[in-house]
Amino acid sequence: MTTVPPPKVKEFNPETLEKIAYKSVSTIPTREKNDQFRLGYCIWLFLSEKKGTLKQAVQNSGARVLISEPDVIKIISDDLKNSGINL
């Protein structure tokens, strides 16, 4: 039997909402990498559905962050503004 290499991963365009959401949480220290993914997903939901607040999205994620919640919200908010998204 031979094994075939896995298919190459096609990255999202940097201007897509998904990439912007996950990039906005990439610098936030979390207990596990999966916490960052959950937080990124909740930010993406917040941006795509336009419901609730950024604070609610952070709280709903249940991510175990290693810094305070206001700092998390400020980091995400600043990164989203730099990406051209006004909250």
Side-chain angles (χ1 to χ4, degrees), residues 42-87:
C42 286
I43 299 303
W44 172 75
L45 278 177
F46 163 72
L47 293 173
S48 62
E49 293 180 357
K50 297 179 173 73
K51 293 181 183 174
T53 64
L54 183 58
K55 181 177 181 178
Q56 289 172 332
V58 170
Q59 291 173 342
N60 289 342
S61 72
R64 297 168 295 176
V65 294
L66 303 176
I67 58 176
S68 68
E69 185 179 288
D71 289 342
V72 170
I73 293 169
K74 181 170 177 14
I75 290 170
I76 294 171
S77 173
D78 290 345
D79 195 86
L80 291 175
K81 286 179 187 170
N82 288 340
S83 297
I85 296 179
N86 295 321
L87 301 176

